[in-house]
Each structure stands twice: as C-alpha cells, then as structure tokens.
Amino acid sequence: MVMPQILVAAAAALALLAQSDDAPAPTDTDLQSVDVPAATEPAAPAEPAKPAKPFSLARTGVDRKGKSPYAADMRLAAPPKVYVIPIEGQMGTDIHGEINGKPGIYEKVIADVREQKPDILVFRINSGDDRNPDKYMEAVRAQMKEDKIDPRRLASGLTEYRDLALRLRTELGDYPAVAYVQEARGVASLFALAWPYMYVSPEGRIAGLDIVGSLGGGNDADIRAKMFGAWTGIAKGVLELGGHENSLTDALVRPDRVLSCDIDGRSTRWRNDTGGDWYVVDQSMEQSARFNAKVAEETGLADGIANDMDDLMALLGYPEFEQVATGEKIFTDYSALWRKRYDECKKMLDDFREPMEDGRDLPKRKQLLEKIRSMAKQYPPLARTLEWRFGLTDDQMAVILEQLNEQIKDYQRQRRNSGGSGGGGGGGGGGRGPMGPGPGR
C-alpha cells in the first residue's frame, strides 16, 4: 500500500506550513493521523521588542526645530551614552557666558562634550531667583527700588544669557538633546524653554519671567516702553529657539497677557485670551504665565513628568544607559571653587571694616584688599557677586588701594618726623563707599 507514504509526505508538508506565518494551522485529525519527528534544532529566540515611545500631547515633532532625543533610537547597538549639562545655581554667576572678555565654564563643557562624543545630551535646569545663597536677587530688587543699581546692568546680563543659550544650541546642535527641568523660576525659565524637547520633575515649575519686564526704569513713559520692548524682545528670542509660538512667549514674559489653549489631537494652539476649550493657564493681568509640572504636561508644554534621570531615560525609550559624569564635575568643581573664594572675600571684607587703632593697620588693610581684587580677577562670577552684593567693582578697589598707598606714605612721613614714636590715625581709608567705614573710621 502507498497510503503510509502519502501520510508521511502530508505530515512533512504540514510541518513546513506550520513554520510559515501565512500557513493554516493543522487540524486535530491531521495531527492524530501521523507521528511527526521531533525537530533536531531549537527555534531561534525572537528579537526583543523595543519599548514603545511615550505618548505626549507635546510630541508634534513635525514643527520642532532641533534634533530630538528619539533620533538616536534606531542607530544604537548598545545603551546610549548620556551627557548631563547642569544649568544650576545663580543666574549670572553660576550660570553665565562671557564676562569681561573671559569665557565661562560652559566653554570647557562644550569642549568636553566633543571629546566624550555622547549619544544624547540632557540639559538639567535647576535655578530659582529667590532661593539662592545670600538672596542676591532680593538685594538687587531692593537696590533697584532705592536707585542704587543701574537696571541696564541686568539688561546686559539678559543679552549674555541669550548668547549662552544660542551658543549651546548651535555648538551642540548635532547631538539629540532634551531639557530636564527640576526648577526654573525667574530668568532661568529662558533655558528651560530654549530646547524643543522638555521634561519636568514632579515638583518642577516654570515661572517668573515677568522679572524681565520689570527691569525697565526711569520716569519717562516713552523710555520705559522702549526698554520694556527691548528686554521682552530679547527674552522672547530665547524662547523662540525652542520653537514656541508667539502667543505662548508673550504670556510667559508679559504680565499683561493672559493664556489659554486649544488641543487638537497631539497639537496645542496657544491663545492670548481665556477662551481656550482645553485649559486656561493664566487669567491675571498682573503676572506672567506660570506652569507647574501637571499643567506643563497636560497642555503639552512639556513632553512628560520624570522623577529622576532613570525615569527620564526610560520615558525616552532607553531603560539602560551609560551616564557620562565629566560635565557635571567640570561645572560643580568650578562653582564650588568660586563660592569658596567668595566666602573668603566676605571674611576679608569684615576684617577690612574693623576700626583701626592707628596707621600701623594700613598695610594689613591694603593687603586684604589686594587679595580680594586678585581673586575677583581670577573668578569672574566672584567679581560679579561682589559688585551685585556690595557694589564693589575693580575700579573702586583700584581707587581705594591708591588712597591706602597715600595714607601709608603719610603715616610713614609722620613717623619719621616724630622720631618713630608711632601713633597717628591714618586718615579716611575707604571713605563712605561700598567698603563701609574702612580704616581710620
């Protein structure tokens, strides 16, 4: 009989069909009719599925300028190298660009990024104007109110922040990048929104850019309006780096703008009124728009909420990654160093202000001031902090040192004329300037 051979052939055909996705499954009758030999080799394991990218209303990548962190997904053969760039601490001191022709610490960070060749950049933003050591912004506001500080100084600082954000965007534009906002209050909000892709921590906030509009001063209404327009225009230019609409940037910078939004699918349309059918973000005419983490995510301003770096990278689709630590070390080491020098300078300033017994103290006072001046020249953030906190500039220190030299000469002449018997007051010393009472007062 040929029937067994036919059954064997049919069984072999069924086994081949079973390996094809398009083949019909064999019936129970077919399987009972034949004894199919066991496979000699195990089947190859299936490729692990890539984790799905997170859904977010903000992910409307078609109209975003800037390389998305998702762009690295298809070309990596191993967990990505992630380089964290801190934007943390005080605006203008810890976070600064070029000061008096001297490059800031971010120049070293940019060079290190190119050397390390990471796959993804994370700009970690953690800065709030009203929670910094020595409360320097409160001091600045108080001085502005008393006309002790020129508001144009802060305007030039705003230009510096714009230039720094632009430099980071252009110099590192070849790397997929995302901003991770732990805190961004005041001018720091500019950096939170300078990148198209942004996540926030659960307690993160983006607020306080109305400080930009408050920098305009003077009694002339036309001048105030021009200054207001200039400063808000600079701030909006930074926000536009992140691809944000004019309606949103207006409301973030100007207290006299309200903000709501309509959402269609995954696209957000911002409105400078309160008629949005999805969310009314700001209905006050006295302060600029403010976002906490929940509102930022729900309106699509942020791509999501991340608890920490591990959570952020998992949301980006990379549950495994290698974090490059050199950028954080470059930044934190420099910040810690200039702050240490600042503490030393404050102690020396206190010593300088102590009343003088006689002219013999003058050389010591001169030595203290020379050390302060030398440190300030070496660390631009220190020089800026001395100016903002105490109104003490390099030019003023040079004048005081010149006065001290004259007083030392006068004291030495007095001693020679009196036969070296000592005594003598030493004169006015630091006068009534930022150094306080000074020698001989």
Side-chain angles (χ1 to χ4, degrees), residues 48-54 59 70 73 313-320:
K50 286 188 177 181
K53 296 189 181 79
R59 288 191 55 208
Y70 305 101
D73 184 62
M313 297 311 298
L315 289 172
L316 291 176
Y318 309 106
E320 295 182 9

Side-chain angles (χ1 to χ4, degrees), residues 93-113:
T93 55
D94 295 305
I95 306 164
H96 70 86
E98 185 177 289
I99 299 178
N100 298 328
K102 294 184 177 180
I105 195 63
Y106 288 105
E107 293 299 320
K108 290 186 177 179
V109 173
I110 290 172
D112 189 58
V113 168

Side-chain angles (χ1 to χ4, degrees), residues 118-131:
D119 298 302
I120 300 171
L121 300 179
V122 174
F123 290 89
R124 189 179 64 216
I125 296 129
N126 189 4
S127 176
D129 281 344
D130 56 357
R131 67 171 185 80

Side-chain angles (χ1 to χ4, degrees), residues 177-199:
V178 60
Y180 178 45
V181 179
Q182 295 176 316
E183 184 80 309
R185 287 182 288 132
V187 185
S189 298
L190 296 176
F191 288 90
L193 297 164
W195 282 267
Y197 301 91
M198 178 181 70
Y199 284 78

Side-chain angles (χ1 to χ4, degrees), residues 329-347:
K329 180 172 174 52
I330 291 170
F331 180 87
T332 56
D333 284 356
Y334 184 76
S335 180
L337 184 57
W338 82 256
R339 286 176 176 279
K340 180 181 178 181
R341 297 291 179 261
Y342 175 52
D343 290 338
E344 294 170 1
C345 284
K346 286 195 295 183
K347 175 64 170 60

Side-chain angles (χ1 to χ4, degrees), residues 59-78:
R59 288 191 55 208
T60 54
V62 291
D63 58 356
R64 294 204 208 178
K65 295 179 181 179
K67 199 166 185 181
S68 165
Y70 305 101
D73 184 62
M74 299 305 294
R75 63 180 179 84
L76 297 179

Side-chain angles (χ1 to χ4, degrees), residues 57-58 60 63-64 193 195-196 235-253 258-264 266-272 291 299-301:
L57 292 170
T60 54
D63 58 356
R64 294 204 208 178
L193 297 164
W195 282 267
K236 288 175 64 176
V238 179
L239 303 181
E240 287 168 3
L241 290 174
H244 300 292
E245 298 175 19
N246 190 64
S247 298
L248 172 63
T249 60
D250 249 2
L252 283 164
V253 174
V258 296
L259 183 68
S260 64
C261 65
D262 299 323
I263 294 179
D264 181 13
R266 300 172 73 180
S267 177
T268 302
R269 184 171 69 88
W270 299 99
R271 304 169 47 149
N272 286 137
F291 289 83
T299 59
L301 180 67

